[in-house]
């Protein structure tokens, strides 16, 4: 169960750099890569947001629970990965377990893109689909 005032996730930038090679076919507007290690204590959540670029995540400890704006819930235990990106992928990441959640997150962004954009909460609960 989530605490009323959970601890916040802590992110550490591990590396970042501009893309200088030609982009793969189909990829446009990418200009930088940023790698974070993010640790979320039990009960922590990211809050509702989306990633303007592409985010590739690998869970290295604990379990990430994603709540999606369409009412879906997905769980990503240690050793699994996920990809998300764009304003159609509104989500809230949570650590509902008893162990710290640790993720390596790679952001592939275009010029002047933020890593994440916070949005107002879109769900009251998960028993029914959320409204946008």
């Amino acid at each position: 169960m989530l605490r009323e005032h959970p601890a916040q996730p802590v992110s550490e930038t591990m590396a970042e750099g501009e893309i200088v090679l030609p982009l793969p076919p189909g990829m446009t507007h990418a200009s930088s890569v940023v790698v974070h290690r993010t640790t979320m204590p039990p009960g922590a959540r990211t809050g509702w947001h989306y990633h303007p670029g592409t985010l590739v995540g690998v869970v290295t400890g604990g379990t990430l629970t994603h709540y999606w704006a369409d009412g879906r819930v997905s769980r990503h235990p240690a050793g699994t990965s996920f990809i998300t990106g764009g304003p159609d992928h509104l989500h809230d990441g949570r650590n509902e377990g008893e162990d710290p959640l640790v993720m390596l997150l790679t952001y592939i962004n275009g010029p002047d893109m933020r890593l994440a954009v916070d949005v107002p909460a879109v769900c009251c609960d998960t028993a029914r689909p959320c409204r946008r």
Side-chain angles (χ1 to χ4, degrees):
M1 173 167 261
L2 294 177
R3 297 182 200 138
E4 187 173 332
H5 299 288
Q8 296 297 306
V10 175
S11 287
E12 173 187 3
T13 301
M14 305 296 290
E16 61 184 298
E18 293 181 23
I19 295 174
V20 295
L21 300 175
L23 297 174
M27 181 177 277
T28 60
H29 306 298
S31 65
S32 68
V33 174
V34 178
V35 179
H36 276 188
R37 182 174 72 195
T38 298
T39 302
M40 295 175 63
R45 61 191 294 179
T46 61
W48 287 95
H49 67 283
Y50 69 90
H51 303 281
T54 300
L55 169 66
V56 179
V58 178
V59 179
T60 62
T63 298
L64 169 65
T65 302
H66 267 145
Y67 286 81
W68 300 93
D70 64 4
R72 290 179 300 123
V73 177
S74 59
R75 289 181 177 78
H76 311 278
T80 63
S81 58
F82 58 93
I83 298 174
T84 187
D88 291 336
H89 289 211
L90 297 177
H91 60 279
D92 183 7
R94 303 178 188 184
N95 180 359
E96 297 178 333
E98 297 179 10
D99 297 318
L101 165 62
V102 182
M103 301 174 288
L104 296 177
L105 305 173
T106 301
Y107 301 85
I108 303 168
N109 284 352
D112 302 317
M113 280 186 176
R114 297 179 358 202
L115 299 182
V117 176
D118 294 332
V119 297
V122 295
C123 285
C124 301
D125 59 49
T126 59
R128 56 187 161 73
C130 305
R131 294 184 299 270
R132 285 190 178 191

